[in-house]
Amino acid sequence: MEAIARYFEIEAKGSSIRTEILAGLATFLTMAYIIVVNPAILSKAGMDFGAVFVATILAAAIGTLIMGLWAKWPVAMAPGMGLNAFFAFGVVLGMKQTWEVALGAVFLAGILFFLLSLTGLRQWIINSIPRSLKYGIGAGIGFFLAIIGLKNAGVVIDNPATLVGLGDLSSMPVLLAGLGFVGMVALDRLKVPGAIVISILVVSIIAWIFGVSDFAGIVGPMPSMAPTFLQLDIGGAFSLALIGVVFAFLFVDFFDTAGTLTSVANVAGKVDADGNIEGIGRAVISDSVATVAGAALGTSNTTSYIESGAGIKEGGRTGLTAVTTAVLFLLCLGFAPLAQSIPGFAAAPALVFVAAYFARNLKDMDWEDVSEYAPAILAAILMPLTFSIANGIAIGFISYAVIKLLSGRFGEVNPAILLVAVLGVLHYAFGT
């Protein structure tokens, strides 16, 4: 124990081994829903549920262990919400790409992320992207998750006259999904750890009892990884049509990571007297390596989770918090039957609940400058309406650059904005 305390500098950080372990448990409980939700989403793209279940756990464990043991941050990682939905519904079902090619695009995005993390370009890019677009894109990802969650719950359905319409609110799946959502909100408001997981399980149990869905058991052998392991098609991802997709994976993962790490840095005591974030380089590299590993295992981008804040609020200050979370993820490998028994409408409310959190980005928008908020809102609206994060990002940047140039504000269009805007134009001109 002394060696562990010394390695993680637990006393110097004002913590204890007991506190770190409890913090790791708190983090795990708040993000354990991804074990069920991620394979449920990616299986819509034709991927094997069991294999993705294992890949999700291993990607989370590997990334979180690297973050804890090497970067020594109390931050956990797992396949990112929004990115998994874009992978399945945007790239595979929307663009008619194979999931193998989509995994190849995730792998390439991870490699680019890694290279950026090794250079000064990382800081340059982060500082160059307008805050308004960051907020708009963050909210748009939330809206994208929401429409998928509402669709999976049966609340939103196809309508030939209006594109979308209201589903049958008297059906059991819709009623149970509604119960799950309000349960998540109420439990979270009451500060109950694991609010999402608890609500998913309660709704699932009710569904099993009343025969709305089938129960396959709790524990069983670990599913085979063969259907997804190393099945990525990197060559297929090297096409002009996939430029926007690779960039979307890279952009969202990159800024999601930067935002998460920046958010938790102050609370975790990672900011020095000069305002510099301690160990940010290692943390970002850990994230990029996790994405590459996750793609090889068979899952969409693995990224830092804002839910790590739950563990930090419990006193987690060192990498031992992350290591604890990783171990708890690994212990879930034997629960595949339980994960496969969770009905889609029980997991769907988690997407809407997380979407509500993402939408909070809008409150920080500069609402006094129309040239700032108009392109950002356009990006946010287009993501759910076109079922594509890539479209929102591309058109958001293109409109931002054009509006600024036409209004004579040339100094606000930096090289990074122009680069993304040009890539967006090329994507629409030659990639579709």
Side-chain angles (χ1 to χ4, degrees):
M1 286 295 183
E2 288 184 11
I4 293 174
R6 196 162 48 248
Y7 179 79
F8 290 108
E9 302 176 323
I10 290 176
E11 288 187 12
K13 299 295 183 182
S15 186
S16 67
I17 290 180
R18 179 180 180 278
T19 298
E20 295 293 309
I21 292 175
L22 290 175
L25 174 61
T27 295
F28 172 76
L29 287 174
T30 59
M31 61 185 288
Y33 67 88
I34 197 63
I35 296 173
V36 174
V37 175
N38 193 55
I41 290 176
L42 297 191
S43 63
K44 300 287 187 182
M47 300 180 73
D48 182 80
F49 186 101
V52 177
F53 169 79
V54 176
T56 299
I57 292 175
L58 292 182
I62 291 170
T64 305
L65 281 173
I66 295 172
M67 184 69 83
L69 292 173
W70 186 59
K72 297 183 181 180
W73 275 61
V75 170
M77 288 191 279
M81 293 293 289
L83 287 163
N84 52 8
F86 176 53
F87 180 105
F89 297 98
V91 181
V92 178
L93 298 178
M95 297 177 64
K96 309 303 180 185
Q97 298 289 337
T98 66
W99 61 262
E100 292 90 345
V101 168
L103 281 180
V106 172
F107 181 86
L108 292 178
I111 294 295
L112 289 173
F113 190 178
F114 177 75
L115 295 175
L116 286 174
S117 301
L118 296 177
T119 69
L121 285 174
R122 178 190 67 223
Q123 197 64 32
W124 176 72
I125 293 174
I126 291 175
N127 292 334
S128 296
I129 304 303
R131 290 178 62 189
S132 59
L133 282 179
K134 291 179 187 175
Y135 294 142
I137 290 168
I141 293 171
F143 298 150
F144 182 56
L145 285 174
I147 196 169
I148 292 171
L150 293 170
K151 177 177 175 290
N152 290 349
V155 177
V156 171
I157 60 172
D158 241 354
N159 187 304
T162 60
L163 296 181
V164 292
L166 191 64
D168 181 6
L169 298 186
S170 64
S171 70
M172 276 296 286
V174 173
L175 290 173
L176 288 174
L179 174 64
F181 178 73
V182 297
M184 289 173 193
V185 175
L187 290 174
D188 187 69
R189 180 67 181 85
L190 294 171
K191 310 292 184 186
V192 176
I196 296 177
V197 177
I198 293 171
S199 297
I200 289 175
L201 288 175
V202 168
V203 168
S204 298
I205 291 170
I206 295 173
W208 298 330
I209 292 173
F210 287 94
V212 183
S213 66
D214 298 324
F215 176 65
I218 298 177
V219 296
M222 187 181 83
S224 170
M225 288 190 63
T228 62
F229 182 62
L230 295 180
Q231 296 301 307
L232 61 169
D233 182 358
I234 300 174
F238 274 105
S239 70
L240 199 55
L242 270 293
I243 288 179
V245 171
V246 173
F247 178 76
F249 281 139
L250 170 64
F251 182 94
V252 177
D253 195 355
F254 190 85
F255 285 101
D256 186 49
T257 297
T260 298
L261 296 179
T262 302
S263 298
V264 304
N266 278 307
V267 186
K270 289 285 185 181
V271 181
D272 62 23
D274 298 321
N276 299 313
I277 300 177
E278 172 195 338
I280 185 68
R282 286 195 174 197
V284 173
I285 290 173
S286 299
D287 198 297
S288 61
V289 171
T291 287
V292 174
L297 292 167
T299 185
S300 51
N301 302 60
T302 303
T303 187
S304 301
Y305 259 58
I306 194 64
E307 284 88 342
S308 301
I312 294 171
K313 288 177 183 176
E314 292 295 322
R317 293 293 180 271
T318 76
L320 183 56
T321 293
V323 171
T324 301
T325 303
V327 171
L328 291 171
F329 266 113
L330 290 173
L331 292 177
C332 293
L333 283 170
F335 292 94
L338 176 61
Q340 290 178 308
S341 298
I342 303 294
F345 58 79
L351 302 182
V352 184
F353 181 75
V354 174
Y357 182 85
F358 275 51
R360 298 195 312 172
N361 284 281
L362 292 177
K363 70 181 176 62
D364 296 317
M365 193 85 70
D366 180 3
W367 294 105
E368 301 301 319
D369 187 345
V370 66
S371 68
E372 289 289 329
Y373 68 75
I377 294 300
L378 180 62
I381 293 173
L382 283 173
M383 287 186 192
L385 294 184
T386 64
F387 238 59
S388 171
I389 291 174
N391 283 336
I393 292 174
I395 296 176
F397 272 85
I398 293 169
S399 61
Y400 185 93
V402 172
I403 288 170
K404 290 292 185 180
L405 292 174
L406 289 178
S407 56
R409 300 169 71 169
F410 306 108
E412 296 177 31
V413 184
N414 59 52
I417 296 171
L418 281 176
L419 174 62
V420 179
V422 169
L423 287 174
V425 171
L426 291 175
H427 168 66
Y428 290 116
F430 305 106
T432 58

